[in-house]
Amino acid sequence: MDLDALLSGLRAHKPAALARAISTVENGRAGFEQLLAAIHRDIGRAYRIGMTGPPGAGKSTMTERLVSAYRARGLTVAVVAVDPTSPFSGGALLGDRIRMESVSLDSGVFIRSMATRGSLGGLATTTREVCDVLDAAGFDRIIVETVGVGQSELDVSRMTDTSVLLLVPESGDGIQTLKSGVMEIADVFVVNKADRPGADKLRQEIEITLGIRLGNAFRHVRAHHGVKTAPAAQPSRPTPEAWAQPVLATVAAKGDGVAEVVDAVEQHRAWLERTGELRERRRRRLAERTREVVDRALGHWVWAETRAVQAIHERLDDVESGRISPYEVAAAILDGIKQGAKI
Amino acid sequence: MDLDALLSGLRAHKPAALARAISTVENGRAGFEQLLAAIHRDIGRAYRIGMTGPPGAGKSTMTERLVSAYRARGLTVAVVAVDPTSPFSGGALLGDRIRMESVSLDSGVFIRSMATRGSLGGLATTTREVCDVLDAAGFDRIIVETVGVGQSELDVSRMTDTSVLLLVPESGDGIQTLKSGVMEIADVFVVNKADRPGADKLRQEIEITLGIRLGNAFRHVRAHHGVKTAPAAQPSRPTPEAWAQPVLATVAAKGDGVAEVVDAVEQHRAWLERTGELRERRRRRLAERTREVVDRALGHWVWAETRAVQAIHERLDDVESGRISPYEVAAAILDGIKQGAKI
């Protein structure tokens, strides 16, 4: 890989360079970490939006609508569609991409599906790195769309600035969903397909759980809980204010309410910037990223460059016969690694 | 934790000891690795069956039926229900457990749901370790039930002896599903809810893809490809034969075809034993387990016992400003770890 050529192509917004940079990162090809290290100084301009929710909530349709809305506002948009549920729903994403055709011929739009398999160090890390490439390539907004299956909402909220949770009346069990910790990580709630029965009820349930109907009582408590007495040396630090997570109603297929979703995302962005929370979130993400890179590199080193695999196979007969357990073999390998480590 | 008391309680099949051992392992409580090391010599008796498939395929109902069928044959059964898709489908498993009430009062049956969150080193590793506890506790069969979402089928096939894939006519896109690599990992295919339209078509599609209708042509090729010329010193080694994955039709809710599923699982077990493949699979699993334990312990050591976290935070200002990238910070930490490692 000619790193310099790739970098200048990327900075010149050349589609071929972008595609090559992304596939280099996605497949962990030789030089991918040098590429990511080189673009590190270029990232931070793009604003990253997470779009998550259960299967059938209309995430793709909403994403396509958001793309059009941002384009109408003169901003470029990249979409990263992640489906951790394949192979069983493997067909769905392809359909989604076809549905996104209305925006796919626009050079200010870039759409990429992420493969689940074979990514070094996990899909989440790779997705974050692909977002970095898109950021360095100059996109104004990056939408990470992922089907909501457990860990993924958490992962998305950790990789984006604003996390949008899409629900539909059929999701049912509103309160149950909300109690599972999803409440805390979504910045904007959207009840999509709001022309169907049960939409108002779901919206009310979300709002009640959020405490909006209770005058935001416990949300203020939560906000104050986080307040630190501002030291005299930092008089300009803005007073912390709580973000009141909006609960919107949309019919994405018809475009109803989509402008309000864009507005809510942009209001959240303004709030993050005003309160200094944006910087805090991004710092946390950089620390987490570093940690992930260490984990990935450590795994690669241990299993590809040391005698660890051989050590396991040398003791496998003993492990099989029960003379020694995997835990003792692992402890011996770990002891070897710890020997003289300067950290 | 009094390890000796726990171990003797476990060997005496005391329910309280079993529950405590499982929660110790599931929550990674102090001493959990000693416990697992101590029971290592007791494992290997239980036969492990994976039950996977898309949401709505009827996995719980089928599992309950299999439990009853095994009980009728005089065998004890443990069920580990894993749902990597919570929180969105968090309510489903509870319902499943209630549905399993018909068998839950039988002391020869043990049912456990696995929590997704907070498991050290990943849900899959912890699930395998819980299976070891159940194995050591003397259950004849362990059924690991997991909703089929991508990685999970692979995980299940790596932790069980026989992997059953449950599909329903509504799963649709039979061929698409089958092309995604699931074909290779399932030992028994079941088209459940076979009284619905499309069941025969799905079954035929699976069989065609498996090559059954083509006279097993490429399956023989595959089997022969794996044949090694038996050395003269091992004349008793059985001639390798291919396992012809059966494609069964069931209506689990009515019990139709369930006996055939049990028979297919037991035939697969006999095949694994006869060909030596059971031993091979279990050896591979022991090697993988050791590797997972190293990964988990390594992560714990690096992040809880070294200066790695501090090293990241010391450079965070520089990472934020773009003077240095996460990749360079990670490389420095890794260099420190590698120093003088004896491995």
Side-chain angles (χ1 to χ4, degrees), chain A residues 132-145:
Chain A
D132 283 353
V133 173
L134 293 164
D135 189 338
F139 286 96
D140 297 308
R141 298 288 179 271
I142 300 170
I143 302 178
V144 180
E145 179 197 326

Side-chain angles (χ1 to χ4, degrees), chain A residues 58-65 93 96 99-100 145:
Chain A
K59 294 179 294 296
S60 268
T61 307
M62 177 61 81
T63 298
E64 185 172 4
R65 294 285 182 170
L93 264 186
D96 293 346
R99 264 158 51 209
M100 279 203 206
E145 179 197 326

Side-chain angles (χ1 to χ4, degrees), chain A residues 10-11 13 18 21-22 36 39-48 76-80 110 127-143 159 161 282 285-286 289:
Chain A
L10 208 55
R11 284 173 189 139
H13 310 297
L18 177 58
I22 289 178
L36 289 163
I39 63 169
H40 174 64
R41 72 194 59 205
D42 301 327
I43 67 167
R45 251 194 81 260
Y47 192 77
R48 302 179 190 201
T76 57
V77 191
V79 175
V80 182
F110 183 89
T127 304
R128 282 186 269 267
E129 291 175 332
V130 166
C131 288
D132 283 353
V133 173
L134 293 164
D135 189 338
F139 286 96
D140 297 308
R141 298 288 179 271
I142 300 170
I143 302 178
M159 76 176 74
D161 300 310
R282 289 183 169 183
R285 290 210 306 256
L286 287 171
R289 170 71 60 81

Side-chain angles (χ1 to χ4, degrees), chain A residues 63-77 103 106 108-109 140-141 258-259 262:
Chain A
T63 298
E64 185 172 4
R65 294 285 182 170
L66 289 184
V67 169
S68 299
Y70 274 120
R71 291 300 292 139
R73 296 182 188 200
L75 299 173
T76 57
V77 191
V103 292
D106 173 353
V109 176
D140 297 308
R141 298 288 179 271
V258 172
V262 176

Side-chain angles (χ1 to χ4, degrees), chain B residues 68-108:
Chain B
S68 300
Y70 274 120
R71 292 299 292 139
R73 296 183 187 200
L75 298 173
T76 58
V77 191
V79 175
V80 181
V82 184
D83 187 358
T85 67
S86 61
F88 276 120
S89 62
L93 265 187
L94 189 64
D96 292 348
R97 291 180 72 181
I98 291 163
R99 265 161 47 210
M100 280 203 204
E101 253 177 8
S102 74
V103 291
S104 66
L105 293 173
D106 173 352
S107 68

